[in-house]
């Protein structure tokens, strides 16, 4: 079912929050046979925490053992690899290396290895020479590394969009620009107040509101957790840097410094970050020059050859952190409510595992519908550089964005899609990569605006006919 | 099989095509990745084009048309060159898919672009409404505008173009902001125009951060150690041009640290003897007329190359940037019994003194007095005969 206005029907489940976690739960609920609506306050999905992350599919080697997070990450990792090919999603195997530069770093290795073993992840110790052999671009004073072969990179937007799309193709309902402002429960039914829209009724509500999780939780009960968003800033290097190395370079976590991750992206760039800065504001995270400069320098320290490469862009994301380090997932049987909060820094990986766990909670506490048969599968457009892209095909039509080689057709498909069209410019960029390249829209903004104008009103306004600079000579 | 493939249908590429065509070269094609030829002038709705090469004072689009008409060769639009290999091989993406084309010579004329927000590491949120002059001009030319009251960052020539574009687009900039104590552009007419348009120019003013949620709501600026907020709904980053040399780079042609474009010799050849480069891809940024003249000069060298008359790549004398010199091009010169080579350079800062080209023994090969701002190009004429027996060269500014 496509996006519709709310009707007066009663849903089995209303999910609040269309981040990666909400999208995965949406899919799982629909496939489990529940009539489900997903409510997202943003103009598109993935406008919150899920907008900006490191795009790593974690093995969970460094998770705190025996936590819910460790379990969900392990399961999410396995499930993603199981289902990705069916939806034309990619997973790029790079492996990761926790790299030591000092004696203190080296002293941490036994702990890292032991933790990985407890998490059931195979790792291997590399001495300095082996580390350099695997990644010759590493600075020469590398002292050794713990190699985690199983770490992968994924497309952080196509994956959750695929989950939501599969839910929609199989009868789920999505309401965007649907800010849940409050709600009350009467005779076992939640009546959710949506700003400027009709009330949505559902038997069970699932709170996946990310950085707003505690505020939404307050609809059901005094929130047992408080969100203090933790900002992470990133610097993105040009695609020219892509072939310098392959393995994700992770820092040794020490009590004092977090260190930075240097990784490729599946789109062919190199990413450096993130920082970890607690803050109060729940949206619109800022980047700041000094931290960006520090990230750049840190990257040069790790991969000196990065000095020869330009920065393409910078961005920041907000982790929904609480006072607890573990996920906050709980079913409130008497309230008809499931809490899914504090999915801080592993949600992209954990999402499918979380969703499976939530469906189990739903079946145990609320209802046990028959799973859907004949499940429809979405086919996602490929944005991953290692696989063929549309611009390489015959009859590609004009290319609109030359840095990322995005065709006009791809942009039109994303805008006119009947199931889940781009709802914002950000959404269009996440679906196609237009304007995301080294020129950051110098060459393509105009064309993208022309294509998007009718679908995403408000980005540009027309200039009065007679006033336009048409270049005619006088 | 082509004689010459020209990559980029801007002033340099189209001017080269014209010379080659007139000289009787038959199999020429200009490959252009966008939908229409003309390059950046297409979107410059203000006058100032065509003076050097057509002796006319046109607006950009008229100039772009004139270049296109004068070229007289097939211009293949919607055609992207994705890579070049030794042997004159070009990988080309067309409507038909990916193809491999061959040519006796390839000219890179891929131009230049402005530095957007990202690489400037500017602080703040990342709302809609942050753009570059180029993108802004293109939008206004097509009758749309992304904001009403932007700030303009920078005071280069192009920054004043942004002001003129704003006027055409019924956009009223709230201010032009320049970090330095003086305006970068050196055309008083432009400054005057800015005053006529009523846009305040804030000197010694730094952009601290961009404010706003979905859209730009203001900027934080710092002037004389004091910070304040300026309400605006857009930010135009102007200038800080860089060569659009990505094709050269990904094709394995080394870029020069100073110019950030492909290094060339005095025959416009890159280190691949079949690949030439001309125009703003060599170094950012000169006005279109200069790029056009370089296109023509490169074409004359290509003609000689087709006749097998260019010197051996190996016999070139490299020129290095010395004290006070930010960039120099061409980066390799040839000795000859007679003739003159023009060396171009830019300085690191405001320089007054003597620009001196010396050989490995410190012997002066050429010199001239200079007094220039860093973004200004200086020319130094070098006698080719002076280079006989020289193995390396170095360019310094001395007091
Ligand atoms: C810097 C950084 C790096 C990261 N790197 C990785 C990584 O490499 N691998 C990995 O697995 N994970 C990573 N993560 C973690 C991952 O991004 C998060 O765990 C995940 O995005 C959390 O998703 P969510 O759905 O819980 O939250 P969100 O994406 O924030 O979704 C919540 C949604 O709820 C909506 N909402 C809120 N209130 C309401 C309301 N009242 N009504 C309607 N809608 C509402 C919001 O608009 C939002 O869209 C990283 C995170 C960050 C910030």
């Amino acid at each position: 079912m496509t996006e519709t206005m709310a009707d007066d029907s009663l849903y089995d489940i209303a999910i609040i929050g269309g981040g990666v976690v909400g999208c995965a739960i949406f899919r799982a609920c629909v496939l489990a046979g529940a009539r489900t609506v997903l409510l997202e306050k943003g103009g598109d999905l993935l406008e919150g925490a899920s907008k900006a992350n490191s795009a790593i599919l974690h093995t969970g080697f460094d998770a705190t053992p025996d936590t819910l997070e460790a379990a969900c990450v392990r399961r999410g990792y396995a499930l993603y690899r199981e289902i990705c090919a069916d939806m034309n999603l990619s997973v790029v195997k790079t492996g990761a290396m926790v790299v030591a530069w000092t004696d203190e770093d080296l002293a941490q290795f036994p702990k890292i290895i032991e933790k990985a073993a407890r998490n059931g992840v195979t790792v291997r110790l590399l001495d300095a020479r082996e580390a350099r052999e695997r990644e010759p671009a590493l600075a020469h004073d590398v002292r050794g590394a713990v190699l985690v072969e199983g770490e992968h990179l994924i497309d952080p937007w196509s994956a959750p969009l695929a989950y939501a799309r599969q839910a929609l193709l199989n009868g789920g309902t999505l309401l965007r620009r649907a800010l849940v402002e409050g709600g009350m429960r009467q005779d076992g039914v939640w009546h959710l107040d949506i700003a400027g829209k009709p009330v949505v009724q559902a038997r069970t509500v699932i709170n996946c509101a990310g950085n707003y999780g505690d505020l939404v939780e307050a609809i059901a009960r005094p929130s047992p957790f408080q969100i203090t968003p933790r900002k992470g800033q990133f610097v993105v290097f040009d695609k020219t840097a892509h072939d310098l190395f392959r393995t994700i370079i992770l820092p040794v976590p020490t009590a004092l410094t977090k260190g930075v991750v240097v990784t490729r992206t599946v789109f062919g760039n190199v990413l450096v970050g993130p920082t970890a800065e607690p803050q109060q504001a729940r949206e619109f995270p800022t980047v700041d020059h000094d931290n960006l400069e520090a990230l750049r320098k840190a990257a040069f320290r790790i991969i000196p050859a990065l000095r020869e490469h330009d920065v393409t862009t910078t961005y920041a994301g907000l982790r929904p952190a609480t006072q607890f380090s573990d996920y906050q997932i709980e079913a409130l049987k008497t309230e008809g409510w499931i809490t899914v909060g504090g999915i801080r820094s592993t949600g992209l990986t954990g999402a499918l595992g979380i969703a499976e766990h939530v469906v189990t909670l739903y079946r145990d506490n609320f209802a046990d519908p028959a799973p859907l048969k004949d499940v429809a599968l979405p086919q996602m457009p490929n944005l991953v550089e290692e696989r063929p892209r549309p611009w390489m095909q015959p009859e590609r039509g004009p290319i609109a964005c030359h840095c990322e080689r995005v065709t006009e057709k791809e942009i039109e498909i994303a805008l006119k899609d009947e199931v889940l069209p781009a709802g914002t410019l950000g959404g269009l960029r996440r679906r196609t990569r237009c304007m995301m390249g080294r020129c950051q829209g110098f060459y393509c903004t105009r064309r993208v605006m022309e294509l998007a104008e009718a679908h995403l009103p408000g980005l540009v306004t027309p200039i009065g006919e007679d006033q336009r600079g048409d270049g005619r000579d006088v | 099989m082509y004689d010459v493939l020209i990559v980029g249908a801007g002033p340099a590429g189209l001017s080269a095509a014209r010379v080659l065509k007139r000289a009787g070269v038959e199999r020429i094609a200009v490959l252009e990745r966008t939908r229409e030829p003309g390059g950046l002038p297409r979107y410059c709705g203000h006058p100032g084009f065509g003076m050097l090469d057509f002796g006319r004072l046109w607006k950009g689009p008229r100039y772009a048309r004139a270049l296109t008409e004068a070229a007289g060769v097939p211009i293949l639009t919607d055609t992207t060159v994705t890579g070049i290999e030794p042997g004159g091989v070009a990988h080309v993406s067309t409507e038909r898919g990916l193809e491999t084309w061959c040519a006796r010579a390839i000219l890179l004329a891929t131009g230049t672009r402005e530095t957007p927000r990202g690489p400037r590491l500017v602080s703040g949120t990342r709302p809609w409404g942050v753009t570059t002059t180029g993108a802004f001009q293109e939008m206004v030319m097509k009758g749309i505008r992304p904001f009403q009251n932007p700030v303009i960052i920078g005071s280069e020539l192009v920054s004043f173009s942004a002001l003129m574009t704003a006027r055409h687009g019924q956009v009223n900039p709230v201010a032009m902001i320049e970090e330095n104590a003086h305006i970068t552009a050196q055309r008083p007419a432009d400054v005057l125009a800015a005053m006529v348009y009523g846009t305040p120019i804030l000197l010694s003013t730094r952009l601290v951060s961009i404010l706003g949620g979905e859209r730009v709501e203001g900027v934080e600026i710092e002037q004389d150690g004091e910070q304040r907020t300026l309400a605006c709904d857009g930010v135009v980053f102007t200038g800080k041009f860089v060569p659009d040399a990505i094709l050269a780079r990904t094709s394995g042609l080394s870029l020069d640290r100073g110019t950030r474009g492909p290094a060339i010799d005095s025959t416009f050849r890159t280190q691949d003897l079949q690949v030439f480069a001309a125009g703003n891809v060599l170094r950012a940024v000169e006005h279109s007329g200069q790029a056009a003249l370089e296109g023509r000069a490169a074409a004359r060298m290509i003609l000689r190359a087709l006749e097998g008359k260019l010197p051996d790549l190996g016999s070139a004398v490299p020129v290095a940037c010395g004290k006070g010199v930010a960039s120099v091009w061409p980066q390799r010169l040839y000795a000859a019994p007679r003739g003159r080579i023009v060396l171009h350079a830019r300085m690191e800062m405001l320089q007054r003194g003597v620009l001196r080209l010396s050989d490995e023994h410190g012997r002066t090969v050429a010199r001239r007095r200079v007094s220039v701002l860093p973004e200004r190009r200086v020319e130094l004429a070098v006698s080719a005969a002076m280079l006989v027996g020289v193995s390396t060269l170095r360019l310094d500014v001395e007091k």
Side-chain angles (χ1 to χ4, degrees):
Chain A
M1 177 179 278
T2 61
E3 187 170 11
T4 55
M5 284 299 292
D7 44 351
D8 48 11
S9 57
L10 174 62
Y11 291 97
D12 296 328
I13 299 174
I15 299 168
I16 304 176
V20 60
V21 174
C23 289
I25 294 176
F26 186 31
R27 168 180 177 272
C29 290
V30 169
L31 299 192
R35 274 200 78 209
T36 309
V37 61
L38 174 60
L39 306 170
E40 167 54 48
K41 73 181 176 71
D44 203 346
L45 299 171
L46 315 178
E47 303 259 303
S50 307
K51 172 153 69 177
N53 55 51
S54 316
I56 298 171
L57 187 73
H58 297 296
T59 54
F61 78 96
D62 59 349
T64 308
D66 308 319
T67 55
L68 186 55
E69 180 179 27
C72 289
V73 165
R74 193 179 318 129
R75 190 66 188 134
Y77 173 87
L79 281 174
Y80 180 83
R81 302 209 317 159
E82 229 173 272
I83 68 170
C84 64
D86 291 340
M87 304 201 261
N88 198 35
L89 292 171
S90 300
V91 53
V92 176
K93 182 163 184 183
T94 56
M97 282 156 85
V98 185
V99 171
W101 304 100
T102 62
D103 287 336
E104 295 86 82
D105 286 350
L106 282 173
Q108 297 293 319
F109 278 3
K111 272 191 238 161
I112 293 172
I113 293 167
E114 194 228 71
K115 209 185 213 181
R118 287 185 61 196
N119 284 316
V121 180
T122 319
V123 300
R124 192 153 58 85
L125 195 64
L126 303 183
D127 63 22
R129 190 182 50 83
E130 289 167 324
R132 274 202 307 271
E133 255 169 31
R134 183 172 169 108
E135 291 303 345
L138 275 174
H140 281 319
D141 53 344
V142 52
R143 302 282 300 277
V146 175
L147 175 67
V148 194
E149 290 274 14
E151 296 281 307
H152 291 72
L153 302 178
I154 66 173
D155 172 344
W157 302 306
S158 293
L161 287 172
Y163 308 157
R165 191 177 188 85
Q166 188 170 29
L168 292 168
L169 288 175
N170 290 285
T173 303
L174 167 66
L175 294 180
R176 293 185 286 191
R177 300 188 197 280
L179 170 70
V180 179
E181 291 184 313
M184 57 164 200
R185 193 152 176 263
Q186 225 173 21
D187 305 328
V189 173
W190 275 102
H191 300 254
L192 296 174
D193 302 322
I194 317 280
K197 289 199 163 109
V199 165
V200 167
Q201 299 178 33
R203 290 206 168 81
T204 305
V205 171
I206 304 179
N207 169 15
C208 312
N211 284 304
Y212 292 83
D214 50 352
L215 303 183
V216 168
E217 192 67 11
I219 296 173
R221 57 166 173 169
S223 180
F225 58 86
Q226 279 72 49
I227 299 274
T228 306
R230 192 177 296 171
K231 179 165 75 178
Q233 301 187 44
F234 292 93
V235 169
V236 183
F237 282 87
D238 192 1
K239 293 187 165 178
T240 55
H242 180 257
D243 293 334
L244 290 176
F245 64 101
R246 183 170 179 91
T247 315
I248 302 163
I249 309 298
L250 302 173
V252 172
T254 60
L256 284 178
T257 57
K258 267 301 276 167
V260 298
V261 179
V262 186
T263 176
R264 287 176 165 192
T265 71
V266 295
F267 311 118
N269 294 87
V270 167
L271 197 63
V272 181
T275 57
E277 309 162 62
Q279 66 172 49
Q280 290 308 312
R282 294 170 190 259
E283 53 189 4
F284 306 125
T286 55
V287 289
D288 71 89
H289 181 273
D290 294 350
N291 268 304
L292 297 172
E293 194 57 74
L295 283 176
R296 219 164 60 99
K297 293 233 171 76
F300 296 163
R301 167 76 187 78
I302 297 165
I303 309 269
L306 271 175
R307 280 176 201 284
E308 306 297 324
H309 299 267
D310 294 334
V311 169
T312 289
T313 189
T314 64
Y315 67 90
L318 292 177
R319 308 170 184 88
T322 69
Q323 65 270 46
F324 308 107
S325 64
D326 204 359
Y327 292 174
Q328 302 297 300
I329 303 180
E330 191 184 343
L332 310 180
K333 189 166 178 132
T334 54
E335 305 299 329
W337 185 276
I338 301 176
T339 307
V340 185
I343 315 298
R344 190 177 60 190
S345 47
T346 49
L348 179 63
T349 310
L352 293 171
I354 294 168
E356 193 179 69
H357 176 59
V358 166
V359 166
T360 306
L361 288 177
Y362 179 73
R363 289 195 185 282
D364 290 350
N365 290 281
F366 302 113
D368 198 11
L372 222 64
K373 288 199 206 87
D374 304 323
V375 173
L377 268 172
Q379 289 303 302
M380 301 304 289
N382 171 50
L383 301 176
V384 171
E385 285 278 294
E386 289 193 355
R387 294 174 46 210
R389 296 269 312 276
W391 67 267
M392 301 170 176
Q393 310 302 324
E395 284 166 57
R396 59 165 163 74
I399 293 174
C401 165
H402 295 285
C403 300
E404 295 295 308
R405 304 223 173 99
V406 184
T407 63
E408 292 190 0
K409 279 187 199 161
E410 288 175 277
I411 293 174
E412 283 180 322
I413 287 169
L415 289 165
K416 294 178 185 164
D417 178 28
E418 284 181 359
V419 179
L420 186 51
T424 60
L425 181 60
L428 180 63
R429 293 165 52 139
R430 291 191 286 276
R431 281 170 181 75
T432 63
R433 294 206 50 78
C434 68
M435 302 171 76
M436 305 268 259
R438 61 181 66 86
C439 87
Q440 291 284 295
F442 178 85
Y443 292 116
C444 70
T445 304
R446 188 266 302 170
R447 190 65 191 129
V448 172
M449 288 305 126
E450 284 176 344
L451 294 169
E453 231 182 334
H455 307 273
L456 305 173
L459 291 172
V460 290
T461 52
I463 302 166
E465 273 308 311
D466 47 330
Q467 302 279 342
R468 159 176 352 161
D470 58 2
R472 227 163 274 147
D473 287 289
V474 270
Chain B
M1 178 78 182
Y2 285 90
D3 290 316
V4 186
L5 284 176
I6 298 172
V7 189
L14 292 172
S15 303
R18 176 188 192 181
V19 170
L20 292 166
K21 169 81 183 177
R22 287 190 171 185
V25 178
E26 271 169 23
R27 293 164 302 178
I28 313 172
V30 183
L31 314 186
E32 167 57 46
R33 65 185 185 178
T34 68
R35 310 199 69 173
E36 36 176 52
L40 291 187
R42 271 175 304 168
Y43 304 115
C44 300
H46 52 82
F49 294 86
M51 259 162 1
L52 272 188
D53 42 346
F54 288 90
R56 302 287 293 272
L57 187 57
W58 280 323
K59 288 183 184 174
R62 177 72 189 83
Y63 176 57
R65 262 198 321 276
L67 284 170
T68 307
E69 282 157 15
V73 304
I75 300 171
L76 311 178
T77 54
D78 272 332
T79 304
T80 304
V81 179
T82 61
I84 288 171
E85 275 178 48
V89 176
H91 298 285
V92 185
S93 159
T94 73
E95 269 295 282
R96 297 179 298 277
L98 281 175
E99 298 180 348
T100 302
W101 299 4
C102 287
R104 294 169 65 204
I106 297 174
L107 174 65
L108 298 177
T110 48
T112 178
R113 60 179 169 80
E114 292 168 287
T115 299
R117 175 206 183 148
R120 299 180 189 227
L121 305 187
V122 171
S123 302
T125 53
R126 305 184 62 251
W128 167 239
V130 178
T131 187
T132 45
T133 319
F136 175 43
Q137 287 187 325
E138 215 179 305
M139 282 187 270
V140 167
M141 187 65 75
K142 299 286 174 170
I144 50 178
R145 62 190 158 180
F147 36 57
Q148 313 269 351
N149 304 107
V151 290
I152 293 178
I153 310 298
S155 66
E156 299 182 26
L157 276 181
V158 67
S159 321
F160 291 94
S161 302
L163 271 187
M164 290 188 252
T165 303
R167 192 171 169 80
H168 289 303
Q170 295 169 301
V171 164
N172 295 307
V174 294
M176 174 180 266
I177 290 171
E178 169 56 51
E179 255 182 23
N180 295 317
H182 58 85
I183 284 169
T184 310
Q186 287 221 314
R187 275 198 339 212
D190 289 321
V191 182
L192 219 73
M195 284 157 69
V196 170
Y197 298 164
T199 303
I201 303 179
L202 308 179
L203 297 175
S204 307
T205 304
R206 193 172 66 87
L207 172 66
V208 177
S209 68
I210 294 173
L211 312 171
E214 302 291 349
R215 300 191 70 110
V216 175
E217 285 160 24
V219 289
E220 193 77 24
I221 56 171
E222 188 185 287
Q223 194 174 22
D224 303 325
E226 248 170 67
Q227 292 201 358
R228 67 186 164 105
T229 304
L230 206 62
C232 60
D233 65 354
V235 181
V236 187
F237 284 98
T238 68
K240 293 202 179 176
F241 278 94
V242 289
D244 197 344
I246 190 67
L247 174 60
R249 182 164 189 171
T250 53
S251 302
L253 300 171
S254 62
L255 299 193
D256 181 70
R257 269 166 196 273
T259 59
R260 303 179 67 188
I264 52 159
D265 63 21
S266 44
T267 71
F268 292 88
R269 253 184 322 186
T270 66
Q271 86 226 46
D272 178 328
L273 85 171
Q274 282 168 280
V275 180
F276 295 71
N280 281 331
V281 69
L282 293 179
R283 50 57 279 263
V285 55
E286 295 292 335
H287 60 82
S288 54
Q290 176 67 23
L293 294 190
E294 279 169 349
R296 292 184 187 180
R300 287 190 288 272
M301 291 299 174
I302 291 172
L303 290 173
R304 290 173 58 184
L306 295 179
E307 293 164 7
K309 283 191 189 152
L310 289 188
D312 269 0
L313 280 179
S315 65
V317 188
V319 192
C321 290
K323 238 184 354 319
V325 177
S327 60
V328 58
W329 71 95
Q331 291 84 354
R332 298 184 309 273
L333 316 179
Y334 294 102
R338 43 176 201 283
R340 206 177 64 119
I341 301 164
V342 178
L343 211 53
H344 307 264
R346 288 204 185 108
M347 308 300 119
E348 275 168 358
M349 50 184 116
L350 175 67
Q351 294 281 6
R352 282 193 189 87
V354 173
L355 187 63
R356 190 168 81 95
L357 183 69
S358 55
D359 69 8
E360 66 272 24
H361 307 296
R363 188 179 61 112
T364 300
V365 174
R367 69 195 294 279
R368 69 168 282 193
R369 305 211 124 265
V370 285
S371 169
V372 284
L373 287 169
E375 38 298 308
R376 286 300 163 112
R377 176 175 56 91
V378 258
E379 295 184 357
L380 178 67
V382 182
S383 149
M386 291 286 285
L387 300 176
V388 176
V390 170
S391 60
T392 63
L393 291 161
R394 197 183 124 131
L395 189 65
D396 296 272
V397 190
E398 295 163 357
K399 290 282 162 230

